[in-house]
């Protein structure tokens, strides 16, 4: 099995067939590996209470994803009978599911120049506890390098670029926009600094 990636989706090549697999499938594989014998409802709770700041998913998305994973042989489940209620399905990751999740985690992250991209990078980092330390360190180094580069781009060009797009000639209006954008950009820079500091501290602890 090999995997190709683009725009948050993964193309899985298995036995000559191509299957477009959304990122949620891999998030669930990682969660189930962390929480064996979890139900779909419990997995939803884990996302809401643990990774919800970085990644959101609804039950209406989770159950179809679990069905895909089971049909692909990446998870199995046992059914627990409940009186007066539908049987409860408790999920576990198969060896193929472990391999697929680790291949997803080890793929070099494709950074974009967006806040959402940084969130997705941190979300993936959340699931790397099963990986060898050297692999996590490699991911951290890549994150520090790329976020530092983006921070520098913001600090050098962002305000100048924004002002160049403004066609209003009224000096008072232009000054007001500049003051607003200047503070907003200062917030973005501070956020970059916090993310980079977090990654550096984590790297120090792991190494």
């Amino acid at each position: 099995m090999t995997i190709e990636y683009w725009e948050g989706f993964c193309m899985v090549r298995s036995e000559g067939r191509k299957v477009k697999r959304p990122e949620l499938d891999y998030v669930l594989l990682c969660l189930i590996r962390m929480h064996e014998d979890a139900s779909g409802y419990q997995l939803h709770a884990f996302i809401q209470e643990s990774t919800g700041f970085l990644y959101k998913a609804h039950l209406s998305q989770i159950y179809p994803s679990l069905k895909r994973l089971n049909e692909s042989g990446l998870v199995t489940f046992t059914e627990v009978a409940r009186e007066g209620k539908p049987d409860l399905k408790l999920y576990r990751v198969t060896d193929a599911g472990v391999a697929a999740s680790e291949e997803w985690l080890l793929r070099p992250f494709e950074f974009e120049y967006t806040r959402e991209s940084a969130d997705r990078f941190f979300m993936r980092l959340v699931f790397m506890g099963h990986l060898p330390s050297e692999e996590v360190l490699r991911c951290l180094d890549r994150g520090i390098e790329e976020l530092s580069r983006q921070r520098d781009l913001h600090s050098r060009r962002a305000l100048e670029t924004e002002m160049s797009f403004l066609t209003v000639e009224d000096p008072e209006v232009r000054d007001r926009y500049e003051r607003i954008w200047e503070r907003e950009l200062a917030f973005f820079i501070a956020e970059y600094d916090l993310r980079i500091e977090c990654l550096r501290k984590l790297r120090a602890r792991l190494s």
Side-chain angles (χ1 to χ4, degrees), residues 72-184:
S72 301
L74 302 182
V75 301
T76 59
F77 63 83
T78 56
E79 292 187 306
V80 178
R82 298 186 296 177
E83 186 175 351
K85 297 181 179 179
D87 291 348
L88 186 66
K89 293 181 179 179
L90 304 179
Y91 292 88
R92 286 198 171 202
V93 178
T94 65
D95 290 343
V98 169
S101 67
E102 291 191 353
E103 190 169 358
W104 175 67
L105 290 171
L106 292 172
R107 173 182 65 91
F109 187 81
E110 295 296 330
F111 282 90
E112 299 173 1
Y113 196 49
T114 65
R115 192 180 189 187
E116 180 187 6
S117 177
D119 283 348
R120 288 180 57 243
F121 173 78
F122 272 71
M123 180 271 292
R124 187 176 295 190
L125 187 62
V126 166
F127 298 125
M128 290 190 172
H130 277 90
L131 298 181
S133 292
E134 58 269 21
E135 296 292 355
V136 183
L137 292 174
R138 188 176 295 113
C139 174
L140 290 172
D141 287 340
R142 172 73 174 127
I144 292 168
E145 176 186 4
E146 181 59 27
L147 292 178
S148 297
R149 186 186 70 82
Q150 291 188 8
R151 181 209 182 279
D152 290 344
L153 284 175
H154 262 302
S155 62
R156 290 200 309 268
R157 299 190 322 207
L159 182 59
E160 178 183 343
T161 301
E162 292 290 348
M163 291 303 295
S164 70
F165 293 148
L166 186 62
T167 58
V168 178
E169 296 183 0
D170 186 321
E172 185 177 348
V173 173
R174 291 186 66 86
D175 180 69
R176 190 179 303 120
Y177 270 113
E178 184 171 7
R179 291 172 186 270
I180 293 170
W181 289 341
E182 187 176 39
R183 296 315 308 158
E184 190 172 40

Side-chain angles (χ1 to χ4, degrees), residues 15-65:
E15 299 177 356
R17 295 181 297 106
K18 292 184 179 181
V19 180
K20 190 175 183 181
R21 190 174 296 285
E23 190 171 57
L24 174 59
D25 288 12
Y26 295 93
V27 170
L28 290 177
L29 283 175
C30 292
L31 279 174
I32 296 169
R33 191 177 182 189
M34 294 166 64
H35 307 281
E36 288 187 345
D37 294 324
S39 67
Y41 185 84
Q42 288 174 317
L43 291 167
H44 177 252
F46 295 148
I47 291 175
Q48 293 294 101
E49 297 170 13
S50 179
T51 62
F53 183 72
L54 301 171
Y55 188 87
K56 292 288 188 182
H58 302 289
L59 279 171
S60 59
Q61 298 169 298
I62 289 173
Y63 286 121
S65 179

